[in-house]
Amino acid sequence: MDKRKIILEVDGLTKRFGGLEAMKKVSFNVKEGEILSIIGPNGAGKSTLFKLITSFLKPTEGSVKYLGESLVKYPPHKVAQMGVVRTFQETTIFREMSVLENVVVGHQVRSTANIFGVFWNSPKARADSARFKESAEQILKHLGLSNIKDELAKNLPHGHLRALSMAVAMAVGPKILLLDEPFAGLNSDETAKAVEMVRAVRDQGVTIMLVEHDMRAVMKISERIIVINFGQKIADGTPKEIQTNPDVIDAYLGKEEED
């Protein structure tokens, strides 16, 4: 029996845009240290679900609770400070900065100095800067990126840009990390490295949720999979259970044509 505590509770989550119901009473829990994948056809509502969890969108109905506290009343930056951090499909980095500088900037949400202290380079600001640089070095080391820390982001290949996006998210200090298509556009070797990187992040005590279309990677990395179709949850189970679920096969995975 799995005795890990539940750290995220999604209950009856519904989102309407005018007459369109993009999310329909979706409920599930996430356990500490879990790797949970959200899959479904294009337009199923997966990215909407991530936006609702991280308060980039507010639900029409339902609730999202992290360690028993509602997240829907907070703005996105506060949700991130609480430990629920999301990456994006678009690689949101500063291309003219080095890899290390990007990760240092990612720490700013944890700054103890106010804006005036940063401007005047106060003792608090200097202490933050030293602490953030040391932390950034450690993050890059854990993710196996130390060898490219001085490279400009604009010179990185796609796989390293994806890895840098994850490193920047780690700088925020997540307890739950929501990865939006972390394997998109990667070749098989890059995907294998990215899978190991996600596992390494989980092994540091970070719970992982991910939206992904690469089914081979999803089946390899996931402890549990939730399937969304037309804004509704149609399945929730282990990779083996999902692969043999008739509703999932009909809606998403497909089945071989009979001769």
Side-chain angles (χ1 to χ4, degrees):
M1 184 177 177
D2 192 340
K3 295 183 178 180
R4 290 176 296 180
K5 70 178 180 180
I6 292 171
I7 60 172
L8 188 74
E9 301 168 84
V10 175
D11 185 21
L13 207 56
T14 299
K15 181 62 180 179
R16 300 187 189 95
F17 298 97
L20 173 66
E21 201 167 30
M23 191 64 45
K24 305 174 185 178
K25 297 188 180 299
V26 170
S27 299
F28 61 91
N29 295 327
V30 183
K31 293 178 180 177
E32 188 174 41
E34 193 170 22
I35 298 181
L36 170 67
S37 291
I38 312 290
I39 68 171
N42 286 329
K46 306 181 298 296
S47 291
T48 298
L49 177 60
F50 267 23
K51 290 175 182 176
L52 289 167
I53 290 172
T54 52
S55 278
F56 282 87
L57 288 174
K58 298 300 180 184
T60 307
E61 299 173 11
S63 65
V64 180
K65 293 182 179 179
Y66 169 62
L67 295 175
E69 184 171 4
S70 174
L71 295 182
V72 300
K73 61 185 178 182
Y74 294 117
H77 75 275
K78 176 61 176 177
V79 171
Q81 287 175 335
M82 293 170 69
V84 182
V85 179
R86 176 191 172 207
T87 64
F88 297 85
Q89 291 179 359
E90 311 83 26
T91 308
T92 50
I93 59 174
F94 296 101
R95 292 181 175 269
E96 298 299 325
M97 288 185 177
S98 71
V99 168
L100 180 62
E101 288 168 338
N102 267 278
V103 182
V104 170
V105 170
H107 285 78
Q108 295 306 312
V109 71
R110 298 159 65 181
S111 179
T112 60
N114 60 31
I115 189 169
F116 298 106
V118 173
F119 183 79
W120 293 107
N121 196 26
S122 69
K124 269 191 176 182
R126 291 196 298 272
D128 281 346
S129 181
R131 183 164 51 90
F132 295 163
K133 186 175 185 296
E134 182 179 358
S135 174
E137 296 265 13
Q138 286 299 313
I139 289 169
L140 293 173
K141 181 179 179 180
H142 284 310
L143 296 182
L145 301 174
S146 294
N147 60 320
I148 62 166
K149 69 178 183 179
D150 296 322
E151 288 284 340
L152 291 181
K154 67 180 181 180
N155 297 330
L156 297 179
H158 184 68
H160 280 154
L161 283 172
R162 287 283 177 177
L164 176 54
S165 178
M166 196 179 305
V168 171
M170 287 296 292
V172 183
K175 299 299 182 185
I176 303 178
L177 184 58
L178 291 81
L179 302 173
D180 200 342
E181 299 195 24
F183 312 127
L186 304 185
N187 61 36
S188 58
D189 288 341
E190 290 171 335
T191 298
K193 291 177 182 176
V195 165
E196 292 309 311
M197 189 174 295
V198 172
R199 286 185 175 140
V201 170
R202 189 275 311 275
D203 291 345
Q204 292 176 50
V206 180
T207 300
I208 303 291
M209 294 179 64
L210 60 94
V211 163
E212 184 53 63
H213 287 288
D214 185 333
M215 285 301 99
R216 183 174 296 181
V218 165
M219 296 300 169
K220 183 177 181 180
I221 198 172
S222 305
E223 186 174 344
R224 187 161 60 99
I225 300 171
I226 289 172
V227 186
I228 303 289
N229 193 34
F230 294 112
Q232 293 181 298
K233 186 180 80 172
I234 62 170
D236 182 343
T238 65
K240 185 175 182 180
E241 290 168 340
I242 293 301
Q243 285 178 306
T244 57
N245 185 303
D247 292 333
V248 177
I249 293 170
D250 289 342
Y252 186 46
L253 295 178
K255 51 189 176 184
E256 294 182 1
E257 295 286 341
E258 294 181 0
D259 293 332

